[in-house]
Amino acid sequence: MNEINVCLSPALIPLYNVEDYIVVVIDIFRASSSICYGIENGAEAIIPVSRVEECAAYGEKGLNYLLAAERDGKVVDGFDFGNSPFSYTAEKVAGKTIVLTTTNGTHALHLSIKAKKIVIGSFLNLTALCTWLQSQDENILLVCAGWKNNFNLEDTLFAGAVVEQLKEFSFKLDDAAIAANDLYQLGKHDINQYLKKTSHRERLEKLGIERDIEFCLQIDITTAIPVLDGDKLVKLG
Amino acid sequence: MNEINVCLSPALIPLYNVEDYIVVVIDIFRASSSICYGIENGAEAIIPVSRVEECAAYGEKGLNYLLAAERDGKVVDGFDFGNSPFSYTAEKVAGKTIVLTTTNGTHALHLSIKAKKIVIGSFLNLTALCTWLQSQDENILLVCAGWKNNFNLEDTLFAGAVVEQLKEFSFKLDDAAIAANDLYQLGKHDINQYLKKTSHRERLEKLGIERDIEFCLQIDITTAIPVLDGDKLVKLG
């Protein structure tokens, strides 16, 4: 029987043989939501890099990259944009390649690099993602990017939403998958309201990105599944 | 405002400055329950050690130690007992010093060694523990021992039970504390039933320790709080 395991922090990735899993990287506020939106909107590729300097180096290559860098929730000085989904509209990204570094999401992605496949999940592409996952007949590891390796509720709740769609297909769930799904039951009727009590939310509100948050909690407004191909995230075809 | 943070796995302990916290080590099935029960029943001290060899070495000192060693849920060959609470009755442990090594609990304890204080929590001493914690005016870190660094539901649920008793006293809760408390709301009316769906429970059932599990889920049958004093757990006085 295939497994669905939920990895509640990137710091726990070493507990898993990621080679045995399709990994879904989850960073709801906001990297994975923006990546899904950007790929849906025709971005040719998104290159996730770990460090701001790597991101900047692409600019020096003189090619037509869009450079996106976020640290601690803010756009890094000197960059085109960060990880607000409103920077990933068709008008801005269609046909473009974006180089992206973020506080949490790209970190989780690089730690999962040996996985069978790495895809990006968000509420935006939830059902498309689950339909594809269900068709793969593989173990699934849902990796919550968290906040600087700390557990966070929004990523966990999304993991629970994935479990919700897949659990009828007789996967074996670990305790974290059970917990994530139970938390999703508590929050699903009004996810925005449920998340208002969380710590990260408070931090994000201080950053003035309430509009981004509402955007990232929309369910099934996209169908593209970003998948890592070499060093680039592209549309799964 | 003081904080209550929940550390969902020993692998996440490095994220915290444990010096700033009173740490509660939680290993419900079964080490922390048995430690609480043994100290309640008059054990003079319990010495937690990391390795089976260290535990055995105490026997060679020729003193009157009880040696307890558990790995993967079973008593290690050649030892007096493991971590079943039924080995920690007054008849067996009163006036004795026990040297204990377990798969998860002693590991979590040693990683927390720089904390302001380290105490042991279980459902057995829940209210006594919470009353004492509330009186301390310190930050509290609830460390779930988990299973080989993996998240587990029983330790998390207990953390949620502690949050439940303390949250009215205006602590700041991190996301993990919120999640643990929410899960406790789901499970509190029949904790045994709620935990039946978990992975660790299945493993424990295979070990034939159903009776131990029921014992460990009793609430408030003890009042002693084991506290680390040097290298020994003794009764907080």
Side-chain angles (χ1 to χ4, degrees):
Chain A
M1 190 188 295
N2 288 323
E3 299 172 1
I4 302 178
N5 294 334
V6 173
C7 179
L8 294 168
S9 157
L12 300 178
I13 292 175
L15 300 178
Y16 301 89
N17 293 320
V18 290
E19 300 89 332
D20 299 336
Y21 295 88
I22 292 176
V23 164
V24 181
V25 173
I26 302 163
D27 185 11
I28 295 301
F29 299 146
R30 297 164 286 169
S32 70
S33 302
S34 294
I35 290 168
C36 290
Y37 194 51
I39 293 292
E40 177 83 10
N41 286 332
E44 198 170 290
I46 297 177
I47 304 176
V49 297
S50 296
R51 293 179 304 115
V52 171
E53 299 73 36
E54 289 174 75
C55 192
Y58 275 88
E60 290 158 15
K61 290 182 184 173
L63 295 167
N64 194 23
Y65 293 114
L66 289 175
L67 305 184
E70 171 268 344
R71 281 296 179 277
D72 297 330
K74 287 176 265 188
V75 178
V76 178
D77 280 349
F79 284 82
D80 298 343
F81 47 89
N83 64 359
S84 167
F86 294 103
S87 300
Y88 293 75
T89 57
E91 190 181 37
K92 291 179 181 162
V93 303
K96 302 275 178 64
T97 291
I98 303 154
V99 186
L100 171 66
T101 181
T102 71
T103 309
N104 304 298
T106 47
H107 175 59
L109 203 149
H110 285 110
L111 288 173
S112 307
I113 206 76
K114 289 184 177 168
K116 287 189 175 181
K117 266 202 175 71
I118 302 180
V119 296
I120 307 296
S122 70
F123 286 107
L124 306 188
N125 71 347
L126 172 62
T127 298
L129 173 73
C130 290
T131 302
W132 177 78
L133 286 171
Q134 196 269 317
S135 73
Q136 295 301 296
D137 194 22
E138 299 280 2
N139 295 314
I140 298 165
L141 183 62
L142 305 173
V143 174
C144 299
W147 181 261
K148 298 184 179 179
N149 282 328
N150 286 285
F151 171 93
N152 80 27
L153 261 173
E154 63 271 19
D155 295 344
T156 306
L157 219 68
F158 175 76
V162 173
V163 173
E164 181 74 5
Q165 290 209 14
L166 296 178
K167 65 184 183 185
E168 63 176 301
F169 300 105
S170 75
F171 287 92
K172 182 168 164 50
L173 307 180
D174 69 355
D175 275 20
I178 293 167
N181 189 239
D182 278 353
L183 291 167
Y184 178 68
Q185 305 305 331
L186 290 174
K188 68 183 177 185
H189 299 296
D190 190 343
I191 294 171
N192 200 350
Q193 187 59 37
Y194 180 75
L195 293 176
K196 282 203 167 142
K197 59 185 172 177
T198 68
S199 57
H200 190 42
R201 178 58 173 272
E202 202 177 285
R203 189 166 45 238
L204 293 171
E205 277 175 6
K206 278 185 198 149
L207 294 167
I209 55 175
E210 190 60 26
R211 202 171 64 118
D212 286 15
I213 290 176
E214 282 176 23
F215 188 90
C216 293
L217 295 178
Q218 296 174 98
I219 293 176
D220 290 340
I221 66 163
T222 69
T223 58
I225 301 170
V227 62
L228 195 68
D229 180 10
D231 63 350
K232 295 174 179 179
L233 290 161
V234 298
K235 185 172 174 175
L236 183 73
Chain B
M1 191 189 295
N2 287 324
E3 299 172 2
I4 302 179
N5 294 335
V6 173
C7 179
L8 294 168
S9 156
L12 300 179
I13 293 175
L15 299 178
Y16 302 89
N17 292 321
V18 290
E19 299 89 333
D20 298 336
Y21 294 89
I22 292 176
V23 164
V24 181
V25 172
I26 302 164
D27 184 11
I28 295 301
F29 299 147
R30 299 165 286 172
S32 70
S33 303
S34 294
I35 291 168
C36 290
Y37 195 51
I39 293 293
E40 177 83 9
N41 286 331
E44 198 170 288
I46 297 178
I47 304 175
V49 296
S50 296
R51 293 178 303 115
V52 172
E53 300 72 36
E54 290 174 75
C55 191
Y58 276 87
E60 290 158 13
K61 291 183 185 173
L63 295 167
N64 194 24
Y65 293 113
L66 289 175
L67 304 184
E70 171 268 345
R71 280 296 178 276
D72 296 330
K74 287 176 265 192
V75 177
V76 178
D77 281 349
F79 284 82
D80 298 344
F81 47 88
N83 63 0
S84 167
F86 294 103
S87 299
Y88 293 75
T89 58
E91 190 180 36
K92 290 178 181 162
V93 304
K96 302 277 178 62
T97 291
I98 303 154
V99 185
L100 171 67
T101 181
T102 71
T103 309
N104 305 298
T106 47
H107 175 59
L109 203 150
H110 285 111
L111 287 174
S112 308
I113 206 74
K114 289 185 178 169
K116 286 190 175 179
K117 265 202 176 69
I118 301 179
V119 296
I120 307 295
S122 70
F123 287 107
L124 307 189
N125 72 346
L126 172 61
T127 298
L129 173 72
C130 290
T131 302
W132 178 78
L133 286 171
Q134 196 269 316
S135 73
Q136 295 302 295
D137 193 22
E138 298 281 1
N139 294 314
I140 298 166
L141 183 62
L142 305 174
V143 173
C144 299
W147 181 262
K148 298 184 179 180
N149 282 329
N150 287 286
F151 170 93
N152 79 27
L153 262 174
E154 63 271 19
D155 295 345
T156 306
L157 219 68
F158 176 76
V162 173
V163 173
E164 181 73 6
Q165 289 209 14
L166 296 178
K167 66 185 182 185
E168 64 177 299
F169 299 106
S170 75
F171 286 92
K172 181 168 163 53
L173 307 180
D174 68 356
D175 274 19
I178 294 168
N181 188 240
D182 278 353
L183 291 167
Y184 178 69
Q185 306 303 332
L186 291 174
K188 68 182 176 185
H189 300 296
D190 190 344
I191 294 172
N192 200 350
Q193 186 59 37
Y194 181 75
L195 293 175
K196 280 201 169 142
K197 58 184 172 178
T198 68
S199 57
H200 190 41
R201 178 58 174 271
E202 202 177 286
R203 188 167 45 239
L204 293 171
E205 277 174 5
K206 279 185 196 147
L207 294 166
I209 55 175
E210 190 61 25
R211 202 171 62 118
D212 285 16
I213 289 176
E214 283 177 22
F215 188 91
C216 294
L217 295 178
Q218 296 173 99
I219 293 175
D220 290 340
I221 65 163
T222 69
T223 57
I225 301 170
V227 62
L228 195 68
D229 180 11
D231 64 350
K232 296 173 178 179
L233 290 161
V234 297
K235 186 172 173 175
L236 182 73

